[in-house]
Amino acid sequence: MRKFKCLVFILFFSTTSLLIFTSYIWNHSSNITRSRSLLKISDYKTTHQYFSKQNKPKLMVNSTCAQYDLKQGASIVANNRCKSIQPSSDTCNIAQNLFSSHRKPNCSHQKKYQICQIKNHGTHHIVKCNADICENGITVGTINHTNGELTWHKEKTAVTLENYIASIIHSLFKSEHYGFCFLKCSSNWHSDKGDTDDDSFVSMDDSDKLQLLLLPVPLKLLGNRKKKHKVRNNYSVNLNIILLDSVSRNHFFRSLPKTVDYFRKMNNNDGDNVLDFINVQAIAPRTFETVNALFSGLVDVDSLPFSVYDLPPKPLNIAALFKPLKQLGYNTLYLEDLCWTWDWGIVKNLLVLNKTLPDRKIWHKLQEALDRAFIDTMGASYSSCEILRSLDYTDPFHGPEAVCYGGHYQHQHLLDYLQSYQGMMYKYKQQYASFFISNIGHDDTGRRIQQLDEGLVEYLSALTRQSPNTLTVLLSDHGNAYGDFMERAPVDARREMFHPFVFIIVPKTLSVVLGREKITALIANQNRLISVVDIHQTLKEVYLPRANSQDGYSQANSRANGARSLLHDIPINRTCNDLPHLRNVPTPCICDGHQMSVHVTLEHIVIGEFVLGQLNNHITTQFTSRRSSFDRNTFGNCQRMLGVDITNVQEKTSKGKQGQVKTYSFNLHVVVPAKPNDKHSFFIMVEAYLTPPTYLKLAFYERITLYHQYTKCVDKGLDVTLCICEENELVNSSKPHSKHGDIINTLVGQEVFETFPYVIKVKKKGNKCVVLLGREYDVGIAVEAVNKCDRMISFHLTVISRNMELSVSSNIITEILKPKQIKFLFTALRKIIHIKWHVKFDLNIL
């Protein structure tokens, strides 16, 4: 009995110990999992250092975080000073929910019809058509090379249709075509020249039976061959650049798994190598500056950024690369998926866009600009207008979910054309330099890029077979700048916008010519911090070695930009501070630790007041600049914004030309009085110049919530990225806006002026017409001026302060207020904690 009790006791003790131990392990494991899933960006650096010491980097990422490199388990070189910020678990979970949990849109809503096909027999092309698809004839649409118009020609039988298309193909030296034609069925016809016997017709019916038929590349392009100069690059390596707009590095790996897998397989085979540059720093959050730097190697750090809806100050400098290539005998192609008759793309970037001119004059100006840029052709780019028109869109930036024509994606048509162009060039032993920019990734959802995956793999696979001696650079300019992901994800997701991708596919022929030393450097530089200006320098060294060595201006500019060819070792300790072209550009650095995440304080709220005031001033200035100076309205349809909150604050202190500068980046959240529950967000960068005279500068702002819905109600001449208006309120410049007059009375009359919910009190000072409103916080104040009268008023304002730093460089402010205008003046922040601050105003009406 005694032994039995002993056994029972031992069994009980063992079981209890096991349960306690299991509970401990379970709780400990749960805490680890819970701490990872709730990891804040402010704690990220410390956690990263801990796991680095433990050599367990895999614990840093949640299971939803994919491996964003081609190395399949190989670790990043540890001695690099710049290590890009890795996505947090929260970011990966949000990305999983937004991008992987939705059905991928496709072109299945459109039927595929093969009305005609072209078969190649040596140098001969045989056209075969099936007229039975269309009951009432078929129309052929082609671009008129004299004026850019899409004209339609009717044929009633298969034979006459085949003969007509064959005549286009074979009469290549007499007339010009662009490598495609449209085919569609139609039952209703209308002659564009009235009741004549002319065979040219315009289709009046959008039949769903249509096809974009690619034609053989015009031999006219091959006939323009120029004699090659005897230079060191006579190994005849072609250049192929593909740029995907608005796709970050992480988003490339998330969205294009088949392409990533194809790259990995290429690297496992004894053939071309795919180099993956993991630390690519964007030079700007938009496309123009990136493409200009890619072609020219230039980054203009002294000029102020132009508005997204304005023309750039200078045309895109494509000639910097294409001109010397043309002189070496290269054929040049520039391909895009935007419509030349609309507001975006090359027509804007070459400064051709002019809304006052008819399309035919724009077409002539565009052709002249293409000649100056040394672009031989834009080929199937000219199909984009009709493709977008058929979907009732003018551009692809805010839909549709899939850009389709004839049951095929638009990008598939363009990739097929690019493949045909490159194959023809290779067949006739012609060197080429092609550039294709795709906007498939530039959409609201961030999911449309997934449609590119299969087509891109097919294209790249065909390229290695049909044009094996081709250097391919696949890159992006930046990540997506707006949408749910940018709005919902933590601060590390904001870095994605400035972390593009670069892949370089190096053919074996080029590897042999460049030699082991340069190829070794190219491989090592995959882990170093680079930017697009380094890509430009690399291309110049590969294709223009003599010009690169003789062009003193280019060499000096490259040194000023900090540009280095990737064929030579990039220093392992290179950081964003070593890239001069980033010093005056409001672009966050992708290197971990370059900026520090901090908790939001009242200091940041006052800086947010400064930003809010600047944005509202922009709205007022843009609206009133097109109106009479005696107009009583300073806001139109686009309403005055009120501050709600600030999130995701980061800080960085550096030295610049004007001394020490502190940079703040954060998300600013706003509402308008008419929709107090409808929150909108901006990504903001503010520079605080700390060396006297001190002041604040709004360096950069980007709307990260959607705004395209306001294009119909935005006031004329006003940047729609600043606009929040009633979608059903059409633009009418003569319409009175009494609601904004009511705002004036409300501001002056109420005790507390609506803004950030941290205001202690509102100070009011002034006279019958001008009232100064000071919103006071524990650490500072924000001041606006209101003109209550119906006349323009000028005034001097002298600010007398103690223990304060103003957002303006002088304490004497001179302003002119239009009738009923509200204008932000300045903010003042406390200098030293625990010392009382004071500010007062001396207002003098002129």
Side-chain angles (χ1 to χ4, degrees), residues 8 347 401 440 655 666 715 781 790:
V8 171
V347 69
E401 289 184 334
I440 186 174
K655 282 190 176 181
F666 51 84
D715 299 289
I781 192 171
D790 293 334

Side-chain angles (χ1 to χ4, degrees), residues 37 39 81 103 253-254 264 312 395 416 461 578 647 680 711 720 727 740:
S37 64
L39 186 67
R81 187 175 174 186
R103 179 188 62 84
F253 280 88
R254 279 193 296 256
R264 288 172 177 159
D395 60 59
D416 288 345
S461 178
D578 302 312
T647 58
H680 301 261
T711 54
V720 71
E727 292 95 316
H740 300 298

Side-chain angles (χ1 to χ4, degrees), residues 99-116:
F99 305 129
S100 301
S101 303
H102 295 76
R103 179 188 62 84
K104 182 173 70 175
N106 53 48
C107 296
S108 60
H109 60 286
Q110 294 182 353
K111 292 183 179 181
K112 298 178 182 178
Y113 294 95
Q114 191 175 59
I115 301 173
C116 292

Side-chain angles (χ1 to χ4, degrees), residues 787 792-795 814-818 821 823 825 846:
N787 181 4
M792 294 183 66
I793 295 179
S794 302
F795 66 87
T814 302
E815 287 289 354
I816 299 175
L817 293 178
K818 293 186 177 183
Q821 183 176 3
K823 192 167 191 177
L825 300 181
L846 302 180

Side-chain angles (χ1 to χ4, degrees), residues 453-464:
D453 203 13
E454 292 182 5
L456 185 58
V457 171
E458 292 175 1
Y459 162 76
L460 292 172
S461 178
L463 179 66
T464 58

